[in-house]
Amino acid sequence: MTTSVAQPSVEEFAAAVRAALSDLPADEVEDLTDGLEADLTERADDPDAPDLGDPAAYAEELRSAAGLAPRSAPRANIFAESATSLRTEWTAGVKRIRSSRRGSALLDFIVTLRPVWWVLRGWAAWMLGYGMLGQIAVTPNPFEIALLIGLCVVSVQVGRRKWLTWRWMRPIVIGGNILLIVLVPYIFGWAINSIYNSAYASIDQSYSDQSSSGLTYGGKQVGNIFAFDAQGNPLTGVQLYDQDGRPLNAVSDPSNTGYLSYTDANGNETVVVPSSAVPGRPGWNVYPLASVPPGTITDTGTIPPTATIIAGVPPFATVQPLAGPQPTTPADAPTDAPTALPTPSPVPTH
Amino acid sequence: MDTTQLLKGVLDVAVLAAIQDEDGYGYDVVRRLRSAGLDDVGDASVYGTLRRLYSAGALTTYVVPSDGGPHRKYYGINQQGRAMLESQRASWATFASTMNGLLDTKSRPQPVRTIGEK
């Protein structure tokens, strides 16, 4: 019995064959070489058996007979080799950091933060989806929130190696990670910018809401107001104030506005000007406002003092008188002389 | 003539035939083929073929522990394997008779000349 003598060479040969098949998945190698030692041992005892030859050639023969592709092509080999060397260097680097106490603590700290990256990765993927659609959700709707949560769950599960653990997924996950790491600063900048812009836009919106219009009714600008008394006769020189005692000016910036131009329902342009009878300020709350011919406005946007002032013409000569007994106000109290404006009492502070 | 090249095309049917009557482990099958006259058959080729036929569903396999030594992996033919063997046996018979006809010098037909050939 020569088994004891042949045994080491059998082991060596089998090991060399397995090494030559190392590019295959482990279970494939196991299937191919299961029982190899037994066969080799028996063969070694067989005096008629021809020379076994080179283990690499043996492995190649085994591989081709089993219908498997020959050992990876040179180009794929370079890729695999560089991946292997990268992994080796990575491992060595980690080992170097781990060798110092401080480095080890730092590494542990970073490893603890890994779940943060997983969630961030889900969020970044979500943002990237919006980037591709060309819009950003500062206030996402419920579906978008559900999508965000879903992506974060997938990301965390991938991170925990619970989902998508197939071998071929690994390069995709690694590639996606690298892409997101590169893009995360941009995505952050973009998100902050968008949030800032939208906040600014809403501030701007409210600001412009306040500033641009004086009086509006039903969303449309009110250019002039015509008041009628209880008998249905038009009034002039009516001073209007709101519930807080503020003058109901036709323009929002009365002291700096010289005229207000509006177009009525018939398409006619009217340029109204404030009453000059209010002491200390333009009488933008004295109705009806008088007007000037549109052509008199100068190129610089001012109205020459020589311009013809036309009294506001009410849309109706009279309106229907009110029914029933009237309050104590005398019917002839209003005067049709705009210059005889009574001083309001109490005098508003504005 | 290099018989290893010829062997490659018929190894499947040869291995199926070698285990059609009795299950066998790797080296056992190699020995059967050698004793049948296929001296050039390579061990690894036989093992690889067994593995491939098993993957294709033509064989069954089971492991038998051997006394003191490493275990042995036995292969047996199944229904599908037998069907495969029969089909390949017929193919081989046709192929072999065609080749025999082609190579038999006595019955070789005279080449027919085409028009214009001198």
Side-chain angles (χ1 to χ4, degrees), chain A residues 7 28 30-32 34-43 46 48-50 52 57-59 61-67, chain B residues 8 11-12 25-28 31 34 39 41-49 51-52 54-55 63 66 70-73 75:
Chain A
Q7 200 69 32
E28 192 92 57
E30 170 64 22
D31 273 342
L32 271 175
D34 195 20
L36 180 62
E37 277 87 350
D39 288 328
L40 289 173
T41 307
E42 188 170 342
R43 189 185 206 283
D46 194 342
D48 297 332
L52 205 47
Y58 185 97
E61 191 182 332
L62 195 60
R63 191 196 286 264
S64 76
Chain B
K8 269 184 188 164
L11 202 54
D12 282 21
Y25 56 89
Y27 192 65
D28 195 16
R31 207 160 33 200
R34 292 225 174 99
D39 297 328
V41 74
D43 299 31
S45 299
V46 173
Y47 303 152
T49 302
R51 169 72 200 145
R52 185 164 41 77
Y54 168 71
S55 296
V63 168
S66 68
H71 65 255
R72 289 199 164 114
K73 197 175 186 179
Y75 288 96

Short mmCIF file of all heavy atoms in Angstrom, two decimals, chain A residues 7 28 30-32 34-43 46 48-50 52 57-59 61-67, chain B residues 8 11-12 25-28 31 34 39 41-49 51-52 54-55 63 66 70-73 75:
data_model
loop_
_atom_site.label_atom_id
_atom_site.label_comp_id
_atom_site.label_asym_id
_atom_site.label_seq_id
_atom_site.Cartn_x
_atom_site.Cartn_y
_atom_site.Cartn_z
N GLN A 7 -0.11 10.28 -0.31
CA GLN A 7 -1.08 11.19 0.28
C GLN A 7 -0.71 12.68 0.17
O GLN A 7 -1.52 13.47 -0.30
CB GLN A 7 -1.31 10.82 1.75
CG GLN A 7 -2.61 11.33 2.35
CD GLN A 7 -3.83 10.64 1.77
OE1 GLN A 7 -3.76 9.46 1.41
NE2 GLN A 7 -4.91 11.36 1.64
N GLU A 28 -19.46 25.97 -6.80
CA GLU A 28 -19.12 25.36 -8.09
C GLU A 28 -17.81 24.56 -7.95
O GLU A 28 -17.70 23.42 -8.43
CB GLU A 28 -18.96 26.44 -9.14
CG GLU A 28 -18.90 25.94 -10.56
CD GLU A 28 -20.28 25.90 -11.21
OE1 GLU A 28 -20.94 26.95 -11.26
OE2 GLU A 28 -20.68 24.79 -11.63
N GLU A 30 -16.60 23.37 -5.25
CA GLU A 30 -16.91 22.24 -4.38
C GLU A 30 -17.53 21.10 -5.18
O GLU A 30 -17.12 19.94 -5.06
CB GLU A 30 -17.85 22.73 -3.26
CG GLU A 30 -18.46 21.66 -2.39
CD GLU A 30 -17.45 20.87 -1.58
OE1 GLU A 30 -16.35 21.41 -1.38
OE2 GLU A 30 -17.75 19.74 -1.18
N ASP A 31 -18.50 21.46 -6.05
CA ASP A 31 -19.15 20.44 -6.87
C ASP A 31 -18.16 19.75 -7.80
O ASP A 31 -18.20 18.53 -7.99
CB ASP A 31 -20.25 21.09 -7.72
CG ASP A 31 -21.58 21.14 -6.97
OD1 ASP A 31 -21.71 20.40 -6.00
OD2 ASP A 31 -22.45 21.93 -7.37
N LEU A 32 -17.27 20.56 -8.37
CA LEU A 32 -16.32 20.02 -9.37
C LEU A 32 -15.26 19.13 -8.72
O LEU A 32 -14.80 18.18 -9.34
CB LEU A 32 -15.63 21.18 -10.09
CG LEU A 32 -16.31 21.71 -11.34
CD1 LEU A 32 -15.56 22.94 -11.85
CD2 LEU A 32 -16.39 20.66 -12.43
N ASP A 34 -15.44 17.68 -5.58
CA ASP A 34 -15.91 16.80 -4.52
C ASP A 34 -15.49 15.36 -4.85
O ASP A 34 -15.78 14.86 -5.94
CB ASP A 34 -17.44 16.91 -4.42
CG ASP A 34 -17.96 16.32 -3.13
OD1 ASP A 34 -17.16 16.19 -2.19
OD2 ASP A 34 -19.15 16.00 -3.07
N GLY A 35 -14.79 14.73 -3.96
CA GLY A 35 -14.34 13.35 -4.21
C GLY A 35 -13.03 13.28 -4.97
O GLY A 35 -12.57 12.20 -5.33
N LEU A 36 -12.43 14.44 -5.23
CA LEU A 36 -11.18 14.48 -6.00
C LEU A 36 -10.06 13.72 -5.29
O LEU A 36 -9.32 12.95 -5.92
CB LEU A 36 -10.77 15.94 -6.23
CG LEU A 36 -9.50 16.20 -7.02
CD1 LEU A 36 -9.62 15.66 -8.44
CD2 LEU A 36 -9.19 17.70 -7.07
N GLU A 37 -9.95 13.92 -3.99
CA GLU A 37 -8.89 13.25 -3.22
C GLU A 37 -9.03 11.72 -3.31
O GLU A 37 -8.05 11.01 -3.50
CB GLU A 37 -8.91 13.69 -1.75
CG GLU A 37 -8.19 14.98 -1.48
CD GLU A 37 -9.08 16.19 -1.69
OE1 GLU A 37 -10.20 16.01 -2.23
OE2 GLU A 37 -8.66 17.31 -1.33
N ALA A 38 -10.28 11.26 -3.18
CA ALA A 38 -10.52 9.81 -3.24
C ALA A 38 -10.09 9.26 -4.60
O ALA A 38 -9.41 8.22 -4.68
CB ALA A 38 -11.99 9.52 -2.98
N ASP A 39 -10.47 9.98 -5.66
CA ASP A 39 -10.11 9.53 -7.01
C ASP A 39 -8.60 9.55 -7.20
O ASP A 39 -8.01 8.62 -7.77
CB ASP A 39 -10.78 10.43 -8.05
CG ASP A 39 -12.29 10.18 -8.13
OD1 ASP A 39 -12.69 9.03 -7.91
OD2 ASP A 39 -13.03 11.13 -8.44
N LEU A 40 -7.97 10.64 -6.73
CA LEU A 40 -6.51 10.77 -6.91
C LEU A 40 -5.76 9.71 -6.12
O LEU A 40 -4.76 9.15 -6.60
CB LEU A 40 -6.05 12.17 -6.48
CG LEU A 40 -6.46 13.32 -7.40
CD1 LEU A 40 -6.09 14.66 -6.77
CD2 LEU A 40 -5.81 13.19 -8.78
N THR A 41 -6.28 9.43 -4.92
CA THR A 41 -5.62 8.43 -4.08
C THR A 41 -5.69 7.05 -4.74
O THR A 41 -4.68 6.33 -4.83
CB THR A 41 -6.32 8.38 -2.71
OG1 THR A 41 -6.36 9.70 -2.17
CG2 THR A 41 -5.59 7.46 -1.76
N GLU A 42 -6.86 6.75 -5.26
CA GLU A 42 -7.03 5.46 -5.91
C GLU A 42 -6.18 5.35 -7.17
O GLU A 42 -5.59 4.34 -7.48
CB GLU A 42 -8.51 5.27 -6.26
CG GLU A 42 -8.79 3.86 -6.75
CD GLU A 42 -10.27 3.57 -6.86
OE1 GLU A 42 -11.07 4.32 -6.25
OE2 GLU A 42 -10.62 2.61 -7.56
N ARG A 43 -6.12 6.46 -7.85
CA ARG A 43 -5.33 6.55 -9.09
C ARG A 43 -3.86 6.30 -8.79
O ARG A 43 -3.14 5.64 -9.55
CB ARG A 43 -5.52 7.93 -9.68
CG ARG A 43 -4.96 8.12 -11.04
CD ARG A 43 -5.12 9.58 -11.45
NE ARG A 43 -5.18 9.73 -12.89
CZ ARG A 43 -4.11 9.67 -13.65
NH1 ARG A 43 -2.92 9.46 -13.12
NH2 ARG A 43 -4.21 9.81 -14.96
N ASP A 46 -2.96 2.91 -8.73
CA ASP A 46 -3.16 2.17 -9.98
C ASP A 46 -1.88 2.20 -10.81
O ASP A 46 -1.47 3.27 -11.29
CB ASP A 46 -4.32 2.84 -10.75
CG ASP A 46 -4.82 1.97 -11.87
OD1 ASP A 46 -4.09 1.04 -12.28
OD2 ASP A 46 -5.95 2.22 -12.35
N ASP A 48 -1.33 1.17 -13.77
CA ASP A 48 -1.53 1.39 -15.20
C ASP A 48 -1.87 2.84 -15.54
O ASP A 48 -1.92 3.21 -16.72
CB ASP A 48 -2.68 0.50 -15.70
CG ASP A 48 -2.35 -0.98 -15.54
OD1 ASP A 48 -1.14 -1.30 -15.56
OD2 ASP A 48 -3.29 -1.78 -15.34
N ALA A 49 -2.18 3.62 -14.51
CA ALA A 49 -2.64 4.99 -14.78
C ALA A 49 -1.54 5.82 -15.42
O ALA A 49 -0.39 5.77 -14.99
CB ALA A 49 -3.08 5.63 -13.47
N PRO A 50 -1.88 6.58 -16.44
CA PRO A 50 -0.88 7.45 -17.07
C PRO A 50 -0.53 8.62 -16.15
O PRO A 50 -1.19 8.83 -15.13
CB PRO A 50 -1.57 7.93 -18.34
CG PRO A 50 -3.02 7.78 -18.10
CD PRO A 50 -3.20 6.69 -17.08
N LEU A 52 -0.29 12.03 -14.35
CA LEU A 52 -1.39 12.95 -14.02
C LEU A 52 -1.21 14.32 -14.67
O LEU A 52 -2.18 14.98 -15.02
CB LEU A 52 -1.45 13.09 -12.50
CG LEU A 52 -2.79 13.47 -11.89
CD1 LEU A 52 -3.92 12.63 -12.45
CD2 LEU A 52 -2.73 13.33 -10.39
N ALA A 57 -3.44 22.32 -15.96
CA ALA A 57 -3.99 21.71 -17.16
C ALA A 57 -5.15 20.79 -16.80
O ALA A 57 -6.17 20.73 -17.49
CB ALA A 57 -2.91 20.92 -17.90
N TYR A 58 -4.97 20.08 -15.68
CA TYR A 58 -6.02 19.20 -15.17
C TYR A 58 -7.28 20.00 -14.87
O TYR A 58 -8.39 19.63 -15.26
CB TYR A 58 -5.49 18.51 -13.90
CG TYR A 58 -6.41 17.46 -13.31
CD1 TYR A 58 -6.21 16.11 -13.60
CD2 TYR A 58 -7.42 17.82 -12.44
CE1 TYR A 58 -7.04 15.14 -13.05
CE2 TYR A 58 -8.25 16.85 -11.89
CZ TYR A 58 -8.06 15.52 -12.18
OH TYR A 58 -8.87 14.56 -11.64
N ALA A 59 -7.10 21.14 -14.20
CA ALA A 59 -8.23 22.01 -13.85
C ALA A 59 -8.91 22.54 -15.10
O ALA A 59 -10.14 22.61 -15.18
CB ALA A 59 -7.74 23.16 -12.98
N GLU A 61 -8.96 21.12 -18.02
CA GLU A 61 -9.67 20.01 -18.66
C GLU A 61 -11.00 19.75 -17.93
O GLU A 61 -12.04 19.56 -18.56
CB GLU A 61 -8.78 18.76 -18.59
CG GLU A 61 -9.26 17.59 -19.42
CD GLU A 61 -8.34 16.38 -19.26
OE1 GLU A 61 -7.14 16.59 -18.99
OE2 GLU A 61 -8.83 15.25 -19.40
N LEU A 62 -10.94 19.82 -16.61
CA LEU A 62 -12.13 19.63 -15.78
C LEU A 62 -13.17 20.69 -16.10
O LEU A 62 -14.36 20.41 -16.29
CB LEU A 62 -11.70 19.74 -14.31
CG LEU A 62 -12.64 19.26 -13.21
CD1 LEU A 62 -12.94 17.79 -13.38
CD2 LEU A 62 -12.00 19.51 -11.84
N ARG A 63 -12.69 21.89 -16.21
CA ARG A 63 -13.55 23.03 -16.45
C ARG A 63 -14.23 22.93 -17.82
O ARG A 63 -15.45 23.12 -17.92
CB ARG A 63 -12.68 24.29 -16.40
CG ARG A 63 -13.41 25.59 -16.37
CD ARG A 63 -12.44 26.67 -16.72
NE ARG A 63 -11.50 26.97 -15.65
CZ ARG A 63 -11.68 27.97 -14.77
NH1 ARG A 63 -12.76 28.69 -14.81
NH2 ARG A 63 -10.77 28.22 -13.86
N SER A 64 -13.43 22.64 -18.86
CA SER A 64 -14.01 22.62 -20.20
C SER A 64 -14.94 21.42 -20.36
O SER A 64 -15.98 21.53 -21.02
CB SER A 64 -12.91 22.63 -21.26
OG SER A 64 -12.33 21.35 -21.34
N ALA A 65 -14.60 20.28 -19.74
CA ALA A 65 -15.46 19.11 -19.83
C ALA A 65 -16.78 19.36 -19.10
O ALA A 65 -17.83 18.85 -19.51
CB ALA A 65 -14.76 17.89 -19.24
N ALA A 66 -16.74 20.17 -18.06
CA ALA A 66 -17.95 20.48 -17.30
C ALA A 66 -18.78 21.56 -17.99
O ALA A 66 -19.84 21.94 -17.49
CB ALA A 66 -17.59 20.92 -15.88
N GLY A 67 -18.26 22.05 -19.12
CA GLY A 67 -19.01 23.05 -19.89
C GLY A 67 -18.91 24.44 -19.32
O GLY A 67 -19.77 25.28 -19.56
N LYS B 8 -13.50 13.81 -27.58
CA LYS B 8 -14.24 14.95 -27.04
C LYS B 8 -15.71 14.92 -27.45
O LYS B 8 -16.59 15.20 -26.64
CB LYS B 8 -13.62 16.27 -27.51
CG LYS B 8 -12.56 16.77 -26.55
CD LYS B 8 -12.02 18.11 -26.97
CE LYS B 8 -10.84 18.50 -26.11
NZ LYS B 8 -10.05 19.58 -26.70
N LEU B 11 -17.57 11.76 -25.65
CA LEU B 11 -17.35 11.47 -24.24
C LEU B 11 -18.67 11.33 -23.47
O LEU B 11 -18.80 10.47 -22.60
CB LEU B 11 -16.47 12.57 -23.62
CG LEU B 11 -15.73 12.17 -22.35
CD1 LEU B 11 -14.91 10.90 -22.56
CD2 LEU B 11 -14.81 13.29 -21.90
N ASP B 12 -19.66 12.16 -23.84
CA ASP B 12 -20.95 12.10 -23.15
C ASP B 12 -21.57 10.71 -23.27
O ASP B 12 -21.93 10.09 -22.27
CB ASP B 12 -21.92 13.12 -23.75
CG ASP B 12 -21.65 14.53 -23.28
OD1 ASP B 12 -20.51 14.79 -22.82
OD2 ASP B 12 -22.55 15.38 -23.37
N TYR B 25 -18.18 5.78 -9.27
CA TYR B 25 -17.57 7.04 -8.84
C TYR B 25 -16.54 7.44 -9.88
O TYR B 25 -16.22 6.67 -10.80
CB TYR B 25 -16.98 6.91 -7.44
CG TYR B 25 -15.97 5.79 -7.28
CD1 TYR B 25 -14.61 6.01 -7.53
CD2 TYR B 25 -16.38 4.52 -6.89
CE1 TYR B 25 -13.70 5.00 -7.39
CE2 TYR B 25 -15.46 3.49 -6.75
CZ TYR B 25 -14.11 3.74 -7.01
OH TYR B 25 -13.20 2.73 -6.89
N GLY B 26 -16.01 8.65 -9.73
CA GLY B 26 -15.15 9.24 -10.76
C GLY B 26 -14.10 8.32 -11.36
O GLY B 26 -14.15 7.98 -12.55
N TYR B 27 -13.18 7.88 -10.50
CA TYR B 27 -12.07 7.09 -11.05
C TYR B 27 -12.55 5.73 -11.56
O TYR B 27 -11.98 5.18 -12.49
CB TYR B 27 -10.96 6.93 -10.01
CG TYR B 27 -9.70 6.39 -10.63
CD1 TYR B 27 -9.00 7.15 -11.57
CD2 TYR B 27 -9.22 5.12 -10.32
CE1 TYR B 27 -7.87 6.67 -12.17
CE2 TYR B 27 -8.07 4.63 -10.92
CZ TYR B 27 -7.40 5.40 -11.85
OH TYR B 27 -6.29 4.92 -12.45
N ASP B 28 -13.62 5.23 -10.94
CA ASP B 28 -14.24 3.99 -11.37
C ASP B 28 -14.66 4.09 -12.84
O ASP B 28 -14.40 3.18 -13.65
CB ASP B 28 -15.46 3.75 -10.47
CG ASP B 28 -15.98 2.34 -10.54
OD1 ASP B 28 -15.23 1.47 -11.03
OD2 ASP B 28 -17.12 2.12 -10.10
N ARG B 31 -11.69 4.15 -15.16
CA ARG B 31 -11.12 2.81 -15.33
C ARG B 31 -11.96 1.96 -16.29
O ARG B 31 -11.42 1.24 -17.13
CB ARG B 31 -11.02 2.13 -13.97
CG ARG B 31 -9.92 1.09 -13.89
CD ARG B 31 -9.51 0.78 -12.48
NE ARG B 31 -10.63 0.87 -11.54
CZ ARG B 31 -10.48 1.03 -10.23
NH1 ARG B 31 -9.28 1.12 -9.70
NH2 ARG B 31 -11.52 1.12 -9.44
N ARG B 34 -11.18 3.08 -19.78
CA ARG B 34 -9.84 2.66 -20.20
C ARG B 34 -9.85 1.17 -20.53
O ARG B 34 -9.29 0.74 -21.54
CB ARG B 34 -8.82 2.95 -19.09
CG ARG B 34 -8.59 4.43 -18.87
CD ARG B 34 -7.12 4.80 -18.75
NE ARG B 34 -7.01 6.26 -18.68
CZ ARG B 34 -6.85 6.95 -17.55
NH1 ARG B 34 -6.74 6.32 -16.39
NH2 ARG B 34 -6.78 8.25 -17.59
N ASP B 39 -7.91 4.38 -24.14
CA ASP B 39 -6.72 4.59 -23.31
C ASP B 39 -6.40 6.06 -23.08
O ASP B 39 -5.81 6.43 -22.06
CB ASP B 39 -5.51 3.91 -23.97
CG ASP B 39 -5.71 2.41 -24.07
OD1 ASP B 39 -6.38 1.86 -23.17
OD2 ASP B 39 -5.24 1.81 -25.05
N VAL B 41 -8.34 8.57 -22.62
CA VAL B 41 -9.31 9.41 -21.92
C VAL B 41 -8.66 10.05 -20.68
O VAL B 41 -7.94 9.40 -19.92
CB VAL B 41 -10.58 8.60 -21.57
CG1 VAL B 41 -10.33 7.63 -20.42
CG2 VAL B 41 -11.74 9.52 -21.25
N GLY B 42 -8.89 11.34 -20.52
CA GLY B 42 -8.29 12.06 -19.39
C GLY B 42 -9.21 12.01 -18.17
O GLY B 42 -10.43 12.11 -18.30
N ASP B 43 -8.59 11.87 -16.99
CA ASP B 43 -9.39 11.80 -15.76
C ASP B 43 -10.31 13.01 -15.62
O ASP B 43 -11.51 12.88 -15.39
CB ASP B 43 -8.47 11.79 -14.52
CG ASP B 43 -7.55 10.59 -14.49
OD1 ASP B 43 -7.16 10.13 -15.58
OD2 ASP B 43 -7.23 10.14 -13.38
N ALA B 44 -9.70 14.18 -15.75
CA ALA B 44 -10.46 15.42 -15.51
C ALA B 44 -11.59 15.56 -16.51
O ALA B 44 -12.66 16.07 -16.17
CB ALA B 44 -9.52 16.61 -15.60
N SER B 45 -11.36 15.10 -17.76
CA SER B 45 -12.42 15.17 -18.76
C SER B 45 -13.63 14.35 -18.32
O SER B 45 -14.78 14.78 -18.47
CB SER B 45 -11.93 14.65 -20.11
OG SER B 45 -10.87 15.43 -20.57
N VAL B 46 -13.34 13.17 -17.77
CA VAL B 46 -14.43 12.30 -17.33
C VAL B 46 -15.18 12.93 -16.15
O VAL B 46 -16.41 12.98 -16.13
CB VAL B 46 -13.89 10.90 -16.95
CG1 VAL B 46 -14.98 10.04 -16.33
CG2 VAL B 46 -13.31 10.22 -18.19
N TYR B 47 -14.39 13.46 -15.18
CA TYR B 47 -15.02 14.07 -14.01
C TYR B 47 -15.88 15.27 -14.42
O TYR B 47 -17.00 15.44 -13.94
CB TYR B 47 -13.99 14.52 -12.97
CG TYR B 47 -13.08 13.41 -12.51
CD1 TYR B 47 -11.79 13.66 -12.06
CD2 TYR B 47 -13.52 12.09 -12.50
CE1 TYR B 47 -10.96 12.65 -11.64
CE2 TYR B 47 -12.69 11.06 -12.09
CZ TYR B 47 -11.41 11.35 -11.66
OH TYR B 47 -10.58 10.35 -11.26
N GLY B 48 -15.33 16.07 -15.30
CA GLY B 48 -16.06 17.26 -15.78
C GLY B 48 -17.34 16.85 -16.51
O GLY B 48 -18.38 17.48 -16.34
N THR B 49 -17.21 15.79 -17.31
CA THR B 49 -18.39 15.30 -18.05
C THR B 49 -19.46 14.79 -17.10
O THR B 49 -20.66 15.08 -17.28
CB THR B 49 -17.96 14.20 -19.03
OG1 THR B 49 -16.97 14.73 -19.91
CG2 THR B 49 -19.14 13.69 -19.84
N ARG B 51 -19.94 15.75 -14.10
CA ARG B 51 -20.49 16.93 -13.44
C ARG B 51 -21.51 17.63 -14.36
O ARG B 51 -22.58 18.05 -13.92
CB ARG B 51 -19.34 17.88 -13.10
CG ARG B 51 -19.73 19.24 -12.66
CD ARG B 51 -20.34 19.25 -11.29
NE ARG B 51 -21.12 20.46 -11.10
CZ ARG B 51 -22.24 20.52 -10.40
NH1 ARG B 51 -22.71 19.44 -9.83
NH2 ARG B 51 -22.88 21.64 -10.28
N ARG B 52 -21.14 17.75 -15.65
CA ARG B 52 -22.02 18.43 -16.59
C ARG B 52 -23.30 17.62 -16.85
O ARG B 52 -24.40 18.19 -16.92
CB ARG B 52 -21.28 18.67 -17.91
CG ARG B 52 -22.06 19.48 -18.92
CD ARG B 52 -21.17 20.03 -20.02
NE ARG B 52 -20.19 19.05 -20.45
CZ ARG B 52 -20.47 18.03 -21.25
NH1 ARG B 52 -21.69 17.86 -21.70
NH2 ARG B 52 -19.54 17.18 -21.59
N TYR B 54 -24.64 15.62 -14.79
CA TYR B 54 -25.44 15.74 -13.58
C TYR B 54 -26.20 17.07 -13.58
O TYR B 54 -27.40 17.13 -13.29
CB TYR B 54 -24.54 15.64 -12.34
CG TYR B 54 -25.25 16.03 -11.08
CD1 TYR B 54 -26.24 15.22 -10.53
CD2 TYR B 54 -24.94 17.23 -10.44
CE1 TYR B 54 -26.90 15.61 -9.38
CE2 TYR B 54 -25.59 17.61 -9.29
CZ TYR B 54 -26.57 16.80 -8.76
OH TYR B 54 -27.23 17.18 -7.63
N SER B 55 -25.51 18.14 -13.97
CA SER B 55 -26.15 19.46 -14.04
C SER B 55 -27.29 19.46 -15.04
O SER B 55 -28.30 20.14 -14.85
CB SER B 55 -25.14 20.53 -14.45
OG SER B 55 -24.14 20.64 -13.48
N VAL B 63 -23.17 10.36 -2.08
CA VAL B 63 -21.83 10.27 -1.50
C VAL B 63 -21.75 9.04 -0.61
O VAL B 63 -22.65 8.78 0.18
CB VAL B 63 -21.51 11.55 -0.70
CG1 VAL B 63 -20.26 11.37 0.14
CG2 VAL B 63 -21.33 12.72 -1.66
N SER B 66 -15.83 6.29 2.56
CA SER B 66 -14.95 5.12 2.44
C SER B 66 -14.20 4.94 3.75
O SER B 66 -14.01 5.90 4.49
CB SER B 66 -13.99 5.30 1.27
OG SER B 66 -13.07 6.33 1.56
N PRO B 70 -10.95 9.54 2.17
CA PRO B 70 -11.94 10.53 1.78
C PRO B 70 -13.18 9.85 1.15
O PRO B 70 -13.08 8.76 0.63
CB PRO B 70 -11.21 11.39 0.76
CG PRO B 70 -9.97 10.68 0.39
CD PRO B 70 -9.74 9.56 1.34
N HIS B 71 -14.33 10.56 1.21
CA HIS B 71 -15.56 9.96 0.70
C HIS B 71 -15.56 9.90 -0.83
O HIS B 71 -14.78 10.59 -1.49
CB HIS B 71 -16.77 10.71 1.22
CG HIS B 71 -16.85 12.12 0.73
ND1 HIS B 71 -16.55 13.20 1.54
CD2 HIS B 71 -17.17 12.63 -0.47
CE1 HIS B 71 -16.69 14.30 0.85
NE2 HIS B 71 -17.06 13.98 -0.38
N ARG B 72 -16.43 9.06 -1.35
CA ARG B 72 -16.52 8.91 -2.81
C ARG B 72 -17.89 9.39 -3.28
O ARG B 72 -18.90 9.13 -2.63
CB ARG B 72 -16.32 7.45 -3.21
CG ARG B 72 -14.90 7.01 -3.02
CD ARG B 72 -14.63 5.76 -3.82
NE ARG B 72 -13.20 5.58 -3.93
CZ ARG B 72 -12.55 4.56 -3.37
NH1 ARG B 72 -13.21 3.64 -2.69
NH2 ARG B 72 -11.26 4.45 -3.52
N LYS B 73 -17.88 10.03 -4.44
CA LYS B 73 -19.12 10.55 -5.00
C LYS B 73 -19.53 9.63 -6.14
O LYS B 73 -18.85 9.56 -7.16
CB LYS B 73 -18.87 11.97 -5.51
CG LYS B 73 -20.12 12.77 -5.74
CD LYS B 73 -19.73 14.19 -6.12
CE LYS B 73 -20.92 15.09 -6.23
NZ LYS B 73 -20.50 16.45 -6.58
N TYR B 75 -22.09 8.26 -9.14
CA TYR B 75 -23.06 8.77 -10.12
C TYR B 75 -23.87 7.62 -10.65
O TYR B 75 -23.33 6.53 -10.89
CB TYR B 75 -22.36 9.46 -11.28
CG TYR B 75 -21.74 10.79 -10.92
CD1 TYR B 75 -20.41 10.90 -10.57
CD2 TYR B 75 -22.51 11.96 -10.96
CE1 TYR B 75 -19.84 12.11 -10.23
CE2 TYR B 75 -21.95 13.18 -10.64
CZ TYR B 75 -20.63 13.26 -10.28
OH TYR B 75 -20.08 14.46 -9.96
#
